[in-house]
Amino acid sequence: MRLILLGSPGAGKGTQAQYIVKRYGIVQIATGDMLRHTLEAKNDLSVAVKRAMDAGELVSDELMIAIVKARLLQSDCKAGFLLDGFPRTLAQAEALHQNDVQLDYVIEVKVDEQTILERLTGRRVHPGSGRSYHLIYHPPKNPGVDDVTGEPLIQRKDDEEQTVRRRLAVYREQTMPLVGYYQQWALRSPEDAPRYYQINGDRPVEVVRDEIISILDSKKASADHLG
Ligand code: AP5
């Protein structure tokens, strides 16, 4: 299974990705997490990446495409992958297409902007794994620590309100056009286009999860049946 999770900052892509990759035995390719790991090396590139991320701007298409292309060549992607945070621009979507990256599904998780503001200001993350929690809506079992490792959770710098507003504007301008891109491709050429589904992400985590899984389970079952 190869899929894209599309959605604004804070729509719940990372949260839902955790369930999907576990259920289908595929790898999660979360470009935001990959970039945050590169920041550990202190060099000119990491300084430029950090500046863009902290300001809520996108990192260059050139760099992002190179990172994802290299990642997709690794052997663990053969069994399938979930792209979380990529593509984010038309140029990135076109790069996947030009490089013949086959995709089965694009799942858009849609949430209104006021809800996003509440979610991101209350979010806490486990930096090592990228696991994501919310102080009220999705708290860890023990306050302040990751459920799996027991390590401390942190608040992301770009989750401050002003930066969240900028990230939402960038999403509207640069990433929303992908909705039309994939919907039109599916209408124009349903045989080779990924199947497109829009999910209402403004419901409890488990409800969103169950809807995504029921779509993927039914499509997977019919694909298995066809052999
Ligand atoms: P990235 O890390 O990808 O951030 P993002 O897309 O802005 O997504 P988030 O991680 O903020 O949100 P999410 O949808 O995963 O939500 P989550 O599940 O955590 O990118 C960061 C930066 O890196 C970008 O700004 C850019 O600079 C750069 N970058 C990355 N990829 C790039 C690319 N391809 N091109 C260029 N630049 C790139 O949930 C959010 C919160 O809500 C959590 O607290 C969660 O617990 C809670 N929550 C989740 N679901 C629900 C629910 N149903 N109900 C209530 N609460 C919920």
Side-chain angles (χ1 to χ4, degrees), residues 5-18 28 30-36 49-61 63-65 68 84-89 92 109 111 115-116 118-125 130-139 156 158-159 163 167 170-171 175 200-209:
L5 268 192
L6 187 63
S8 67
K13 303 182 295 297
T15 302
Q16 296 301 329
Q18 291 168 35
Q28 178 184 3
T31 45
D33 291 341
M34 290 167 83
L35 288 171
R36 278 183 284 280
V49 167
K50 184 172 185 328
R51 193 180 302 124
M53 291 177 80
D54 285 353
E57 304 293 339
L58 295 185
V59 173
S60 75
D61 284 333
L63 176 64
M64 296 314 305
I65 291 166
V68 172
D84 164 6
F86 187 98
R88 250 178 161 97
T89 63
Q92 294 177 14
V109 182
V111 178
T115 307
I116 295 292
E118 282 170 33
R119 283 190 185 180
L120 290 185
T121 46
R123 170 165 63 184
R124 298 294 180 271
V125 292
R131 271 184 291 278
S132 173
Y133 302 87
H134 190 278
L135 293 178
I136 299 161
Y137 305 127
H138 186 47
R156 270 168 51 173
D158 60 350
D159 280 347
T163 315
R167 288 163 65 198
V170 168
Y171 181 78
T175 310
N200 171 10
D202 202 352
R203 296 174 295 166
V205 170
E206 296 73 19
V207 175
V208 178
R209 176 199 64 195

Side-chain angles (χ1 to χ4, degrees), residues 1-219:
M1 182 183 293
R2 295 146 301 187
L3 72 150
I4 293 174
L5 268 192
L6 187 63
S8 67
K13 303 182 295 297
T15 302
Q16 296 301 329
Q18 291 168 35
Y19 299 117
I20 299 169
V21 297
K22 201 166 160 201
R23 185 173 182 92
Y24 300 106
I26 58 178
V27 289
Q28 178 184 3
I29 302 179
T31 45
D33 291 341
M34 290 167 83
L35 288 171
R36 278 183 284 280
H37 285 128
T38 69
L39 300 182
E40 284 155 20
K42 300 286 172 234
N43 52 41
D44 290 352
L45 181 64
S46 70
V47 169
V49 167
K50 184 172 185 328
R51 193 180 302 124
M53 291 177 80
D54 285 353
E57 304 293 339
L58 295 185
V59 173
S60 75
D61 284 333
E62 196 188 4
L63 176 64
M64 296 314 305
I65 291 166
I67 289 177
V68 172
K69 265 175 84 172
R71 182 67 187 87
L72 287 172
L73 287 174
Q74 289 176 19
S75 59
D76 59 349
C77 292
K78 285 207 178 88
F81 53 82
L82 179 155
L83 288 169
D84 164 6
F86 187 98
R88 250 178 161 97
T89 63
L90 287 169
Q92 294 177 14
E94 268 302 315
L96 288 176
H97 196 40
Q98 302 296 326
N99 284 279
D100 281 329
V101 176
Q102 301 299 312
L103 294 164
D104 302 308
Y105 310 101
V106 175
I107 297 191
E108 180 199 356
V109 182
K110 201 168 164 58
V111 178
D112 74 68
E113 292 197 356
Q114 189 49 43
T115 307
I116 295 292
L117 274 170
E118 282 170 33
R119 283 190 185 180
L120 290 185
T121 46
R123 170 165 63 184
R124 298 294 180 271
V125 292
H126 175 241
S129 66
R131 271 184 291 278
S132 173
Y133 302 87
H134 190 278
L135 293 178
I136 299 161
Y137 305 127
H138 186 47
K141 288 180 191 135
N142 296 306
V145 296
D146 178 48
D147 288 352
V148 178
T149 62
E151 290 166 358
L153 303 178
I154 59 146
Q155 181 169 31
R156 270 168 51 173
K157 232 182 150 201
D158 60 350
D159 280 347
E160 286 164 17
E161 183 171 337
Q162 274 308 101
T163 315
V164 172
R165 288 188 188 280
R166 179 63 199 145
R167 288 163 65 198
L168 287 169
V170 168
Y171 181 78
R172 263 182 262 121
E173 290 157 17
Q174 302 199 51
T175 310
M176 285 266 279
L178 294 182
V179 172
Y181 174 90
Y182 284 112
Q183 282 178 337
Q184 279 159 28
W185 182 10
L187 284 173
R188 198 173 60 240
S189 168
E191 315 74 39
D192 67 299
R195 289 166 188 262
Y196 192 92
Y197 297 92
Q198 187 185 78
I199 307 286
N200 171 10
D202 202 352
R203 296 174 295 166
V205 170
E206 296 73 19
V207 175
V208 178
R209 176 199 64 195
D210 291 349
E211 185 173 344
I212 295 176
I213 283 175
S214 82
I215 290 170
L216 296 178
D217 272 0
S218 66
K219 299 297 168 195

